[in-house]
Amino acid sequence: MSFDMIVRGGTLPDRTKADIAIRGDRIAAVEPDIEAEAGQVVDASGCLVSPPFVDPHFHMDATLSYGIPRINKSGTLLEGIGLWGELKPLLTHEAVKERALAYCDWAVSMGLLAIRSHVDTCDDRHLAVEALLEVKKEVASYIDLQLVAFPQDGFYRSPTARENTIRALDMGVEVVGGIPHFERTMEDGRRSVTELCEIAAERGLRVDMHCDETDDPMSRHVEQLAYETQRLGLQGRVNGSHLTSMHSMDNYYVSKLLPLMAEAQVSAVPNPLINIVIQGRHDTYPKRRGMTRVPEMLAHGIRVGFGQDCVLDPWYPLGTADMLDVAFMGLHVAQMTSPADMKRCFDMVTVENAAIMGLDDYGLSAGKKASLLVLDAADPVEAIRLRAQRLCVIASGKIVSERPAAHARLRLPGRPDLVSRRHEH
Ligand code: FE2
């Protein structure tokens, strides 16, 4: 028997050791000590072999635009939205595409091979929608790019958002988005959740809404989202992004809300890097962290992932497409420091995010798409601690990125020269 590639001697995220044999673009076998020939052998001994990173919340039409036409001085969500509004008329098809493709290159080098990106549908020119649909096609052999029709300026608040959002879905955008907390009134927000979920149900699509991205504890649109999910039979297909108001909600109300979300199988995607810098901006001290209640949702059996949201755009001045940065920040803000919780944070930026996006072809088992990573770490927790180097990135059976292990060569007085790698303990 022979294979196209064997990744030998790696440790899987569950700490078992196995070789991974690949034929064409599929995983053919995951077993210890596979005895067979292969066209290509990747030595993963001592390394973690994991499925690729997945980002379930991003804005690829805005990425890498930091400073155009100016920076966000207050750091608030609302100034970011205003600034994006200034930038929108300046966008060109070519510039959006070029920045998105540059970001996809960064993503590949970081082992990030599936991205759900919102695309702003409040532009009568449909420029970003067209550009990102082209990008989706161009990167399809190495990145699963899923697009969400996102009426950034409000489904009702922006006069043409409704027709433009529906048009984007007609053009091939595959997930229905929304922003109920940005509509003019709570009632408009509630109605927008209802109508957008109805549109998704009619078309057989998934829903992923920016929901309650505010510090206002009375922003309770997630309740309506769970209700409509139940009413329309969308269980397991609806995600609430951000849900930051839950941080500030009354505990009694949350004790009713979380079982409703669990019953409706509504998942949640906080975006720790963004939530920690954008929320609490109107506070003095104590200053709220603003991230939603991650351990509490997990305890209720709600599926939770972590998203990146922004890299170098009107809302966030940093970022490198590294989902280990996202897991690292999420772990800290949610205080998930037990060994089991830290491992869970790694799962959240891999398998849990993949489940939220509905990626059926994802995972390290025979028959699945042969996309995987060799990481310079012994296990998932070490990968988060080190934001481990992605030594080898394999997409659909092909090596698409390689980089050497990071190390420091120490030259200390009175000591022999030595190479320090991984900071093992
Ligand atoms: Fe977002």
Side-chain angles (χ1 to χ4, degrees):
M1 200 189 300
S2 77
F3 299 102
D4 295 323
M5 188 188 294
I6 297 181
V7 179
R8 283 209 185 276
T11 303
L12 306 186
D14 66 2
R15 289 176 170 268
T16 58
K17 288 196 187 304
D19 295 345
I20 297 181
I22 295 169
R23 191 176 288 124
D25 66 352
R26 298 280 124 188
I27 294 176
V30 181
E31 293 163 22
D33 306 315
I34 293 174
E35 287 184 23
E37 298 290 310
Q40 202 171 8
V41 173
V42 175
D43 178 13
S45 49
C47 293
L48 174 65
V49 172
S50 101
F53 294 115
V54 178
D55 181 4
H57 189 110
F58 195 62
H59 294 263
M60 209 177 274
D61 49 0
T63 195
L64 307 190
S65 68
Y66 179 66
I68 309 173
R70 61 179 179 85
I71 61 164
N72 181 339
K73 288 199 198 81
S74 67
T76 60
L77 173 73
L78 296 180
E79 185 177 345
I81 293 175
L83 178 49
W84 174 239
E86 291 171 37
L87 171 57
K88 253 195 281 193
L90 309 177
L91 294 176
T92 64
H93 181 95
E94 293 70 31
V96 171
K97 212 172 147 183
E98 196 179 313
R99 288 196 286 258
L101 286 169
Y103 182 79
C104 287
D105 290 349
W106 291 14
V108 168
S109 75
M110 289 297 190
L112 169 54
L113 299 184
I115 301 170
R116 174 180 276 181
S117 175
H118 296 255
V119 51
D120 187 355
T121 52
C122 294
D123 178 356
D124 294 341
R125 299 173 299 165
H126 295 282
L127 182 148
V129 174
E130 283 171 6
L132 291 193
L133 282 168
E134 285 179 24
V135 170
K136 176 184 163 78
K137 249 188 229 162
E138 287 181 32
V139 303
S141 66
Y142 52 91
I143 291 181
D144 271 330
L145 176 57
Q146 201 176 69
L147 297 178
V148 186
F150 174 46
Q152 168 80 74
D153 299 331
F155 188 61
Y156 296 133
R157 189 169 170 179
S158 166
T160 53
R162 191 172 178 280
E163 68 187 83
N164 286 342
T165 301
I166 289 169
R167 171 131 183 257
L169 297 172
D170 289 340
M171 289 165 71
V173 172
E174 65 236 88
V175 181
V176 179
I179 185 164
H181 55 277
F182 193 67
E183 302 294 347
R184 286 196 176 87
T185 63
M186 288 289 181
E187 176 55 18
D188 273 4
R190 189 196 64 74
R191 283 197 304 121
S192 78
V193 172
T194 299
E195 184 171 356
L196 287 160
C197 285
E198 284 172 351
I199 289 170
E202 272 165 30
R203 292 172 176 248
L205 300 176
R206 290 174 177 267
V207 175
D208 191 333
M209 271 185 212
H210 285 68
C211 195
D212 304 322
E213 188 184 3
T214 156
D215 293 319
D216 174 5
M218 296 313 292
S219 187
R220 295 176 169 186
H221 296 297
V222 62
E223 176 186 276
Q224 192 71 21
L225 191 63
Y227 172 79
E228 295 299 348
T229 302
Q230 284 276 24
R231 181 176 74 86
L232 296 163
L234 290 168
Q235 290 91 338
R237 304 171 63 79
V238 174
N239 181 66
S241 282
H242 291 295
L243 307 180
T244 49
S245 70
M246 199 191 295
H247 186 96
S248 302
M249 282 173 182
D250 172 68
N251 287 334
Y252 185 88
Y253 174 69
V254 173
S255 75
K256 177 194 171 198
L257 175 64
L258 295 186
L260 289 175
M261 287 177 66
E263 187 186 17
Q265 297 168 49
V266 170
S267 60
V269 171
N271 297 285
L273 292 162
I274 307 310
N275 299 153
I276 200 70
V277 298
I278 285 187
Q279 302 312 132
R281 289 272 178 169
H282 299 261
D283 293 355
T284 54
Y285 288 92
K287 197 182 279 283
R288 284 168 287 182
R289 296 169 182 223
M291 194 166 82
T292 195
R293 304 189 188 197
V294 175
E296 292 75 11
M297 283 196 278
L298 291 170
H300 278 80
I302 296 166
R303 192 182 289 283
V304 185
F306 281 138
Q308 179 152 241
D309 203 2
C310 301
V311 169
L312 292 169
D313 69 9
W315 296 273
Y316 188 59
L318 297 169
T320 61
D322 188 352
M323 292 308 290
L324 287 175
D325 270 350
V326 174
F328 186 82
M329 180 59 79
L331 181 158
H332 282 78
V333 180
Q335 299 180 323
M336 292 174 65
T337 48
S338 73
D341 278 348
M342 290 194 287
K343 162 68 165 58
R344 195 157 196 170
C345 287
F346 187 87
D347 292 342
M348 285 162 73
V349 293
T350 52
V351 290
E352 297 298 331
N353 280 348
I356 287 168
M357 282 180 62
L359 302 178
D360 299 331
D361 218 11
Y362 175 94
L364 296 185
S365 58
K368 301 288 186 188
K369 185 154 69 179
S371 294
L372 51 112
L373 314 176
V374 180
L375 295 161
D376 193 14
D379 58 52
V381 174
E382 192 173 70
I384 293 176
R385 183 172 70 84
L386 301 175
R387 266 75 87 229
Q389 291 283 81
R390 277 119 266 217
L391 302 176
C392 182
V393 178
I394 298 168
S396 300
K398 297 208 163 43
I399 295 175
V400 290
S401 176
E402 290 176 287
R403 69 167 83 200
H407 64 267
R409 193 171 296 280
L410 301 186
R411 296 185 178 86
L412 301 172
R415 299 262 303 276
D417 284 1
L418 68 101
V419 170
S420 169
R421 189 173 157 224
R422 269 200 201 170
H423 308 284
E424 284 156 332
H425 69 287

